[in-house]
Amino acid sequence: NAGVMQNPRHLVRRRGQEARLRCSPMKGHSHVYWYRQLPEEGLKFMVYLQKENIIDESGMPKERFSAEFPKEGPSILRIQQVVRGDSAAYFCASSAFGSNTEAFFGQGTRLTVV
Amino acid sequence: EDKVVQSPLSLVVHEGDTVTLNCSYEVTNFRSLLWYKQEKKAPTFLFMLTSSGIEKKSGRLSSILDKKELFSILNITATQTGDSAVYLCAVEDGNKLVFGAGTILRVKS
């Protein structure tokens, strides 16, 4: 049973480009959480999704950021027109029953905007 | 605004020492407090605490929660170099976890 898989592990984008981060939850998990970790800061909640639904996006910036979790395939966090301040580690966690205390984290994607 | 504050920010000890990491919190809708260990990759779960005064133990690690004073401590006894990591405290608040900035622990041999 593979863990939560995130790819790519490292992503470099120039300012103004788009970044797409993928998260494949653990088998049998239908709940996904995205967190962002800025340098020397804790993880900050961004969005909570269940298959085909956004449950809570209270932590998502209002512009340029979007997330989806389609019926088939991984969850995608999309950042349009990236800026240097988007450079961070983005972690995804998944759970089976919507309990974030029982969620397992992926290895993260480290985004660097140059 | 919900916040979780961890102290110290960083700590350097020698193998065999005992360390105590602190976590205080202010959240609107507290449900539980969690501790994670992060070693340059995915945070790995250590403990979940929901009730005051009940110590949870796992080997050399233990943790306790005080819901009246709104804090928790994580103790590590007889530290080893493999304990070097960032220790994260998080509080469950509704649909999300609110994390502290972490304590960087370095254990020297």
Side-chain angles (χ1 to χ4, degrees):
Chain A
N1 186 11
V4 179
M5 304 299 291
Q6 289 188 248
N7 68 81
R9 293 291 308 280
H10 301 274
L11 181 62
V12 180
R13 283 286 176 266
R14 295 185 185 279
R15 282 178 293 170
Q17 291 185 317
E18 178 179 288
R20 281 183 176 243
L21 288 62
R22 294 175 188 77
C23 170
S24 296
M26 288 180 70
K27 188 176 180 181
H29 286 192
S30 59
H31 300 260
V32 165
Y33 309 81
W34 284 95
Y35 290 83
R36 175 166 63 175
Q37 187 173 34
L38 294 167
E40 301 188 9
E41 291 188 20
L43 282 75
K44 296 280 194 286
F45 170 79
M46 299 183 76
V47 63
Y48 163 39
L49 309 106
Q50 197 178 356
K51 283 281 186 182
E52 300 184 274
N53 288 305
I54 296 175
I55 308 299
D56 182 347
E57 56 181 348
S58 58
M60 285 276 272
K62 294 289 184 284
E63 296 176 350
R64 301 188 298 107
F65 285 72
S66 62
E68 62 177 11
F69 188 16
K71 187 176 180 182
E72 301 291 337
S75 175
I76 306 285
L77 180 68
R78 183 179 174 210
I79 311 171
Q80 294 178 289
Q81 299 170 354
V82 295
V83 301
R84 287 232 171 96
D86 297 332
S87 296
Y90 291 82
F91 287 94
C92 152
S94 75
S95 71
F97 303 111
S99 166
N100 51 36
T101 58
E102 295 173 348
F104 293 84
F105 281 84
Q107 303 274 35
T109 293
R110 185 161 298 279
L111 171 66
T112 302
V113 180
V114 297
Chain B
E1 184 182 329
D2 296 342
K3 63 179 179 180
V4 176
V5 179
Q6 292 186 244
S7 64
L9 290 180
S10 65
L11 193 54
V12 180
V13 300
H14 288 95
E15 272 192 309
D17 288 351
T18 293
V19 297
T20 298
L21 310 183
N22 304 293
C23 175
S24 64
Y25 62 90
E26 291 179 35
V27 298
T28 310
N29 187 23
F30 176 88
R31 284 159 66 167
S32 63
L33 184 144
L34 299 96
W35 285 95
Y36 292 86
K37 180 181 181 182
Q38 186 178 24
E39 300 170 270
K40 292 187 179 179
K41 50 184 182 179
T44 52
F45 172 83
L46 294 174
F47 296 110
M48 183 173 85
L49 303 151
T50 55
S51 301
S52 274
I54 299 174
E55 184 182 51
K56 293 225 173 169
K57 283 181 71 75
S58 176
R60 297 176 293 104
L61 278 66
S62 63
S63 184
I64 197 160
L65 173 67
D66 185 329
K67 289 169 74 173
K68 182 179 176 187
E69 300 297 331
L70 307 183
F71 79 90
S72 173
I73 59 171
L74 175 69
N75 279 319
I76 308 175
T77 59
T79 51
Q80 302 171 357
T81 55
D83 295 328
S84 296
V86 178
Y87 289 84
L88 299 170
C89 171
V91 173
E92 184 187 10
D93 180 10
N95 286 323
K96 64 182 185 285
L97 296 176
V98 180
F99 282 85
T103 292
I104 302 170
L105 174 64
R106 183 175 157 222
V107 181
K108 295 166 71 171
S109 56

